[in-house]
Amino acid sequence: MTFKQATFKKAPIVSLQGQPVLLYTEQHVSLLQALEQKNVKVFSECRNGFCGACKTKLNHGSVIYHTEPLVELEANECLPCCCHPDGDVDLALSAQGANVVITRASSSNNSSATTVNQSRQNQLKC
């Protein structure tokens, strides 16, 4: 009996201006939908790659389109409404108000990742 070797691909990490925000999994329909689930503000209209309203700059990484966009894009731009990450990506979007992962030093000088809602932090500062 022979076994086929399974190929596992690491789930892409989506960052906003260098700040990790989410782990993109198969449960997400598009990059836009995944960002919206994390409360990232992305303006969108058609959600099909026709209007270009969600055009976003890619700081790092690349995407794969499941619907070919009809909007002209630069090499460092994507339409989150009709694509998914092809590996880790960093987008030029604000993380303000989003649920993001931050690294915080513990009392023993070790780092641990903690999920924090930045909008709640901002409310506490006011």
Side-chain angles (χ1 to χ4, degrees):
M1 176 183 255
T2 61
F3 294 96
K4 288 186 177 182
Q5 187 174 7
T7 303
F8 295 98
K9 186 175 180 182
K10 176 184 131 344
I13 297 170
V14 178
S15 300
L16 305 180
Q17 299 178 9
Q19 178 69 50
V21 174
L22 66 97
L23 193 64
Y24 191 92
T25 64
E26 292 177 1
Q27 78 182 42
H28 300 114
V29 175
S30 67
L31 183 54
L32 177 63
Q33 186 253 353
L35 291 167
E36 288 175 338
Q37 284 182 348
K38 284 294 202 169
N39 297 323
V40 176
K41 294 189 180 9
V42 182
F43 181 74
S44 65
E45 289 187 2
C46 75
R47 297 179 169 270
N48 293 313
F50 299 126
C51 72
C54 66
K55 188 186 296 188
T56 302
K57 182 180 175 196
L58 275 165
N59 292 329
H60 174 76
S62 62
V63 297
I64 298 173
Y65 288 96
H66 44 81
T67 302
E68 196 62 35
L70 297 178
V71 176
E72 188 173 323
L73 298 169
E74 300 292 326
N76 65 340
E77 294 178 326
C78 73
L79 293 181
C81 70
C82 59
C83 71
H84 61 272
D86 185 28
D88 295 347
V89 294
D90 183 43
L91 304 173
L93 292 172
S94 172
Q96 184 176 6
N99 294 323
V100 299
V101 177
I102 62 169
T103 302
R104 177 174 63 185
S106 68
S107 58
S108 63
N109 292 329
N110 292 332
S111 297
S112 63
T114 307
T115 302
V116 176
N117 185 315
Q118 285 186 341
S119 63
R120 287 185 187 150
Q121 284 183 337
N122 291 338
Q123 289 172 353
L124 294 174
K125 291 179 185 176
C126 296

